[in-house]
Amino acid sequence: MKIKRIQCIKNFGIFSNFACNDSSADDFRKYNFIYGWNYSGKTTLSRLFRCLENKHVHPDFPNIQFELKTDTNTDPIITEKSIEKEYSVRVFNEDFIEENFKWYSKEHEIEPILILGKESIELETKLTELVKKKDKREEEKKKKDDELHLLERSLDNMLQERATSIRQILGITNQKSFDKNVLKEKIDDIKKEDIDAYILTEQEYNSSRSTILDQRTYQTETINIGPLKLDEHVSKVQELLGNSISTQEIIEKFIQNPELAEWVRDGMKFHENESTCQFCGGKLPSDLFERLNKHFSNEFETLVSAIEDEIKEVTTYKTQIEKIQLPDKMHLLPKYQDQYDKVYVAVKNSLDTCVGLLESLLNKLKEKKKNPFKIFTIENVENNQDSIKHELDSLNEIISKNNNDIGNLESVKESEIDKIIKHLVASFLKESKYLETEREIVKLKKEIGRLNSEIEELQKNISEVNERIKNTTAAVKEINDYLKAFFNSDELHIEISEPSGKYRILRGDEIAKNLSTGEKNIIALVYFLTRLEGGNDSDSRIVFIDDPVSSLDNNHTLGIYGLLKEKFKEYNGQLFITTHNFNFLNLLKDFHSNSNDEVRFFLLKRISRNNNARYPVLENLPYTLRKFRSEYNYLFSILHAFYEEKDKSDFEFLYILPNIARRFLEAYLFMKYPDGSKYKEKCESFFSGADPGQRESTLKLLDEYSHEESTDHILEFPDITELEKSIKFILEILEKKDKEHYDSLCNSLRKQN
């Protein structure tokens, strides 16, 4: 990518409202050289390019707006809104020097150590921050480790004490059978579920304890009462009670007196074939048995006989029920006793109810037997045969379980032991702060793990930064090669200071103290050029170098030119170089003479608008400056333009015109009188024969506005009338005394047009 044109700049220092419409300059090319005096905006322009390098606007100008036209379709226009993109731009200016070079010299005796390079400075700062952060994290981790150790020891003591307690409760003599590790496993199993589900009632706990201690080996027989006949007897009795007798002749007296009837019926067996009463001896009537047999008929006898049989059956069944013996609950294992006791009561009550029902049936049968002719019913019959069967089955089921457990008593005891252990473990978890402590331990371990990860990452970053710092030292040889080529000597060179890894400047074998501004600038530029090496885009970057020969003498200016030409002669990127040094500008004219289409020269200057506000303008370098390799010609063109200008109040160089005239006059007098005489003596020779008053006025004006002794002239606008008289006076004297030279200067101006 290459920058073709600066479309506009707003709110950026002196570039308050710069627009390409104000400029007649060509588009930028591969090599771009910008000439401009101090305060014309060169450094500010370099800072615009540095915004692209840094990917953020200059902090002093947050409201900057700009548009840069490029030669690409992907980013045809770059603005402050797209500045965060990755643009391959590198800028050398005073900001670069300030960021990349720090001199530490608190006292004269302290050796000046130079931390060289923005990256090195940033890396050292980053390394310090990383080490501090790592130390802080390690301190935090140590506190967490100590806290964790205390909690783990507390938890270990809790486990040890509770494991001992459980062994004592269960009578476990082998410590390894139930130590803190076994307890920990039990806790891990229980805590995943509902802890309350493992808590036993006092009765359940005592029952389990009794089962564990129980040594019995006998079993309890189940209850077998044979088939239940309650339904059968109830049905039979109801049938008998409801039977009626159809007799030939009923003796009413017997009906009214059942006991008498029963007495007579029983006596008939003793009076068969008898004619006298066996009780009173009286003669029996001849039709007595005929009448009695009509009352006590066969149907009567059959019913009574059936009733008597049923009475015997019910009585026998009742006796059988009454003889049932239920096992005592103490014959069962403790774990079943309470359950058995509840069913036992229910069975006992049901059997008692059954006996009562049978008793009621017997009473009804006896009444029917006494009075067979009467119909009887049974009301509210509570037949609980089904209940008896169900309850007996439940009771036998409990007995069977009990017997089964007795047959597998060791396994049962193990199960009960497990219940008690889980109960004790669950109680421990509810009563103690074990789970709370364990959660705190888990939390601490997580925090320690996080700190360990941070420390590892920080250590990794520290190692990476140290490695990068080492890599920055690899540039030392290349920098020294540049310095040696530049100064044609290895007297001034850089070496690494151990163990800090920083750079220090040596002059010979001694610390280079009191380096000149020029030497510092040369070192900074050499370092910048070294930084350009490496990277995938090293040969295609946009490079902007601002005033590289500032504060340098002519010898060093030539050296900088040679260094830059060698560095960029085969460059494929885009190069911008600004300068205020006209000699350096002349050198740049030969920078890449093989292809004039790739080179453009520009002039950056400040002009005045109608309101006298001054603003920068970028234009093609004037023909005079391009044509002649002399500031002298350019200065003459300005003076001559002012001389010819009708409206001199709007002349663009009005402020610095005295300085221009003074510099032009000095240059001319130096060539005119190369005898080493002083400036004032040369002026007397040049202005000899002219009006003395005008001479003094002209020299006074040039002196005061070229060599400030106070701030007065800074705050004043030069007097245009005096300026006009002085410039006219100088040019007319020049034309008069050195017409051939004057005409030659004027001819150079006409060629420009």
Side-chain angles (χ1 to χ4, degrees):
M1 183 187 74
K2 291 181 174 60
I3 304 295
K4 294 182 65 176
R5 178 174 287 273
I6 300 174
Q7 300 281 65
C8 68
I9 309 174
K10 294 182 180 180
N11 307 321
F12 196 52
I14 64 173
F15 290 89
S16 59
N17 192 17
F18 175 87
C20 64
N21 296 333
D22 298 328
S23 172
S24 60
D26 295 336
D27 287 349
F28 296 130
R29 301 299 174 90
K30 182 175 182 179
Y31 298 101
N32 305 279
F33 306 116
I34 302 172
Y35 177 66
W37 286 312
N38 290 333
Y39 312 112
S40 61
K42 300 188 302 300
T43 298
T44 304
L45 197 60
S46 73
R47 284 173 174 154
L48 174 64
F49 279 72
R50 203 149 198 272
C51 290
L52 303 184
E53 178 181 3
N54 293 333
K55 296 192 289 189
H56 60 75
V57 300
H58 195 285
D60 294 339
F61 304 99
N63 297 320
I64 181 177
Q65 298 178 29
F66 65 87
E67 289 185 7
L68 303 180
K69 184 178 179 182
T70 75
D71 63 348
T72 66
N73 294 325
T74 54
D75 289 296
I77 298 294
I78 299 175
T79 71
E80 73 283 353
K81 296 179 181 178
S82 59
I83 202 169
E84 293 182 357
K85 291 187 178 180
E86 189 69 39
Y87 298 112
S88 185
V89 179
R90 298 294 182 271
V91 178
F92 175 82
N93 61 6
E94 60 186 33
D95 294 337
F96 173 86
I97 297 173
E98 183 177 348
E99 286 185 2
N100 286 279
F101 292 84
K102 304 294 181 183
W103 294 85
Y104 297 92
S105 182
K106 297 180 180 179
E107 298 177 3
H108 177 70
E109 293 78 16
I110 300 298
E111 294 182 348
I113 299 296
L114 175 67
I115 302 176
L116 191 54
K118 178 183 177 182
E119 184 180 12
S120 296
I121 295 170
E122 291 176 349
L123 288 175
E124 181 178 328
T125 302
K126 184 176 182 180
L127 180 62
T128 302
E129 292 175 353
L130 287 172
V131 170
K132 286 182 180 179
K133 193 172 183 180
K134 177 172 173 284
D135 290 343
K136 184 178 180 181
R137 292 294 180 270
E138 287 179 338
E139 184 178 351
E140 290 178 15
K141 179 180 176 296
K142 184 179 182 305
K143 290 181 180 179
K144 298 292 183 184
D145 284 336
D146 293 341
E147 189 176 350
L148 176 63
H149 177 70
L150 290 175
L151 288 176
E152 286 181 333
R153 187 167 62 184
S154 172
L155 200 69
D156 189 75
N157 290 338
M158 281 192 277
L159 289 172
Q160 187 69 47
E161 291 174 2
R162 184 49 58 114
T164 301
S165 173
I166 292 176
R167 287 200 304 274
Q168 292 173 347
I169 291 173
L170 297 176
I172 299 174
T173 56
N174 185 358
Q175 180 176 345
K176 291 184 179 180
S177 297
F178 198 91
D179 58 9
K180 63 180 182 181
N181 296 323
V182 177
L183 175 58
K184 180 68 168 60
E185 292 176 0
K186 298 291 184 183
I187 290 174
D188 291 341
D189 291 338
I190 288 177
K191 71 181 182 182
K192 299 175 184 176
E193 303 177 22
D194 181 13
I195 295 176
D196 290 331
Y198 295 99
I199 301 295
L200 301 175
T201 64
E202 182 178 0
Q203 190 174 10
E204 289 171 336
Y205 176 79
N206 291 333
S207 173
S208 294
R209 285 272 296 164
S210 299
T211 299
I212 294 171
L213 300 174
D214 203 314
Q215 301 297 323
R216 77 183 71 199
T217 57
Y218 59 86
Q219 296 180 336
T220 301
E221 291 185 2
T222 56
I223 302 165
N224 185 8
I225 62 175
L228 293 173
K229 298 179 180 180
L230 190 57
D231 285 347
E232 179 183 337
H233 288 304
V234 170
S235 178
K236 182 67 175 177
V237 171
Q238 286 178 330
E239 180 185 351
L240 292 172
L241 294 178
N243 281 347
S244 61
I245 301 173
S246 56
T247 59
Q248 295 176 346
E249 184 178 346
I250 296 176
I251 301 174
E252 188 64 29
K253 190 174 184 178
F254 289 167
I255 298 301
Q256 296 176 356
N257 192 341
E259 292 180 354
L260 176 62
E262 185 176 5
W263 180 74
V264 171
R265 179 176 173 277
D266 290 337
M268 288 177 66
K269 295 181 292 184
F270 299 104
H271 290 82
E272 288 185 22
N273 303 317
E274 296 290 340
S275 57
T276 60
C277 176
Q278 300 298 311
F279 178 72
C280 65
K283 186 177 179 178
L284 297 174
S286 58
D287 61 348
L288 176 64
F289 283 97
E290 182 181 356
R291 286 187 290 110
L292 289 175
N293 286 331
K294 289 182 179 180
H295 180 84
F296 298 108
S297 63
N298 290 335
E299 186 180 359
F300 179 92
E301 290 297 330
T302 300
L303 176 60
V304 171
S305 177
I307 291 172
E308 290 175 344
D309 291 341
E310 182 61 18
I311 289 173
K312 291 179 182 178
E313 291 287 337
V314 172
T315 301
T316 301
Y317 186 65
K318 173 175 171 288
T319 302
Q320 180 183 349
I321 295 298
E322 288 174 337
K323 288 182 179 181
I324 293 174
Q325 295 293 321
L326 300 178
D328 191 280
K329 68 177 181 179
M330 299 307 295
H331 294 172
L332 276 66
L333 293 171
K335 62 183 289 186
Y336 294 112
Q337 289 178 3
D338 289 340
Q339 183 182 1
Y340 176 84
D341 194 39
K342 292 178 182 178
V343 181
Y344 173 89
V345 172
V347 171
K348 191 73 170 63
N349 291 337
S350 293
L351 291 176
D352 290 344
T353 300
C354 178
V355 170
L357 176 59
L358 293 173
E359 187 68 37
S360 175
L361 293 177
L362 287 174
N363 291 333
K364 287 293 184 179
L365 287 171
K366 289 176 181 178
E367 289 183 27
K368 180 67 174 177
K369 178 182 176 183
K370 290 179 181 180
N371 194 355
F373 295 98
K374 185 176 180 180
I375 300 299
F376 291 92
T377 60
I378 304 176
E379 297 180 358
N380 300 324
V381 176
E382 186 178 355
N383 184 355
N384 63 341
Q385 177 173 309
D386 291 340
S387 297
I388 293 173
K389 183 178 185 308
H390 174 71
E391 289 160 0
L392 280 174
D393 288 344
S394 298
L395 201 67
N396 284 330
E397 183 180 357
I398 295 172
I399 294 172
S400 296
K401 288 181 179 180
N402 174 78
N403 293 341
N404 183 66
D405 285 356
I406 290 176
N408 302 279
L409 191 57
E410 291 305 316
S411 174
V412 172
K413 287 184 178 182
E414 288 179 5
S415 176
E416 296 303 317
I417 289 173
D418 184 62
K419 280 186 183 179
I420 290 180
I421 288 175
K422 288 179 177 178
H423 163 76
L424 295 174
V425 172
S427 299
F428 165 64
L429 295 180
K430 290 177 68 68
E431 296 165 1
S432 70
K433 293 184 177 181
Y434 179 89
L435 292 178
E436 180 182 343
T437 303
E438 191 177 53
R439 284 192 293 269
E440 188 64 26
I441 288 175
V442 171
K443 181 180 177 182
L444 277 174
K445 286 183 176 180
K446 186 176 180 181
E447 291 176 358
I448 291 171
R450 175 182 58 80
L451 288 171
N452 279 330
S453 297
E454 284 191 33
I455 291 170
E456 289 177 6
E457 186 64 25
L458 287 169
Q459 183 57 56
K460 179 181 177 182
N461 292 338
I462 288 171
S463 300
E464 290 176 353
V465 171
N466 278 325
E467 189 63 30
R468 289 173 63 188
I469 289 175
K470 290 180 181 178
N471 290 338
T472 62
T473 63
V476 170
K477 182 180 183 304
E478 188 171 354
I479 293 173
N480 286 332
D481 289 342
Y482 272 123
L483 292 177
K484 183 176 181 180
F486 188 85
F487 293 107
N488 198 25
S489 167
D490 58 3
E491 180 181 8
L492 190 65
H493 61 279
I494 292 175
E495 71 173 23
I496 301 172
S497 176
E498 298 293 347
S500 68
K502 301 174 184 178
Y503 297 159
R504 62 180 180 179
I505 304 296
L506 297 179
R507 196 186 300 276
D509 296 330
E510 301 293 331
I511 295 298
K513 300 177 181 178
N514 302 318
L515 286 171
S516 68
T517 302
E519 288 174 325
K520 291 179 181 178
N521 286 346
I522 291 170
I523 293 172
L525 180 60
V526 166
Y527 175 71
F528 174 78
L529 297 177
T530 305
R531 285 282 298 273
L532 292 178
E533 299 293 339
N536 296 330
D537 60 349
S538 61
D539 195 40
S540 60
R541 299 186 182 110
I542 297 173
V543 177
F544 196 115
I545 300 176
D546 180 40
D547 223 344
V549 296
S550 177
S551 303
L552 298 183
D553 56 29
N554 287 333
N555 290 334
H556 286 161
T557 299
L558 288 169
I560 292 296
Y561 168 74
L563 184 64
L564 294 177
K565 184 174 182 179
E566 181 64 24
K567 177 71 176 178
F568 295 102
K569 64 181 179 180
E570 300 296 336
Y571 193 56
N572 292 322
Q574 189 176 27
L575 177 65
F576 292 84
I577 297 178
T578 67
T579 183
H580 76 291
N581 188 304
F582 193 72
N583 291 332
F584 187 64
L585 177 65
N586 282 329
L587 292 173
L588 291 175
K589 292 173 184 177
D590 293 331
F591 192 90
H592 205 281
S593 58
N594 292 334
S595 179
N596 291 328
D597 190 54
E598 291 185 333
V599 182
R600 285 293 181 271
F601 287 86
F602 301 93
L603 175 65
L604 183 63
K605 63 181 181 179
R606 296 175 71 181
I607 63 174
S608 299
R609 294 184 186 272
N610 294 332
N611 58 0
N612 291 329
R614 304 179 69 222
Y615 64 99
V617 171
L618 184 67
E619 60 184 28
N620 293 332
L621 191 67
Y623 176 81
T624 302
L625 297 181
R626 288 290 309 278
K627 178 66 176 178
F628 302 101
R629 296 170 178 259
S630 169
E631 182 183 11
Y632 177 71
N633 295 76
Y634 181 60
L635 295 175
F636 176 78
S637 70
I638 296 174
L639 295 176
H640 192 271
F642 180 73
Y643 178 70
E644 296 289 337
E645 182 70 41
K646 292 181 179 181
D647 184 7
K648 294 179 170 50
S649 64
D650 195 32
F651 191 71
E652 59 180 317
F653 297 109
L654 193 59
Y655 276 105
I656 59 174
L657 201 56
N659 185 273
I660 293 173
R662 168 65 182 260
R663 184 164 179 79
F664 172 77
L665 186 58
E666 285 179 342
Y668 172 75
L669 294 177
F670 178 80
M671 294 183 292
K672 182 70 174 178
Y673 306 104
D675 55 2
S677 57
K678 295 182 178 180
Y679 169 71
K680 288 186 177 181
E681 293 174 351
K682 294 178 181 180
C683 286
E684 288 179 1
S685 298
F686 179 68
F687 289 113
S688 63
D691 181 6
Q694 184 60 48
R695 180 190 65 185
E696 292 301 321
S697 175
T698 298
L699 294 177
K700 181 69 172 176
L701 177 69
L702 300 187
D703 285 344
E704 290 191 359
Y705 279 93
S706 298
H707 301 86
E708 298 294 347
E709 299 294 338
S710 68
T711 60
D712 294 342
H713 292 300
I714 298 176
L715 304 175
E716 294 178 357
F717 193 87
D719 188 283
I720 298 177
T721 303
E722 289 300 320
L723 271 176
E724 184 178 2
K725 289 180 182 180
S726 297
I727 300 303
K728 181 181 179 183
F729 179 67
I730 293 171
L731 294 183
E732 287 178 349
I733 295 296
L734 177 61
E735 183 181 11
K736 179 180 179 180
K737 287 197 169 187
D738 201 346
K739 182 171 176 53
E740 185 177 2
H741 181 65
Y742 179 82
D743 290 342
S744 178
L745 289 173
C746 291
N747 288 334
S748 69
L749 299 181
R750 282 190 287 271
K751 289 181 179 180
Q752 175 186 356
N753 298 326

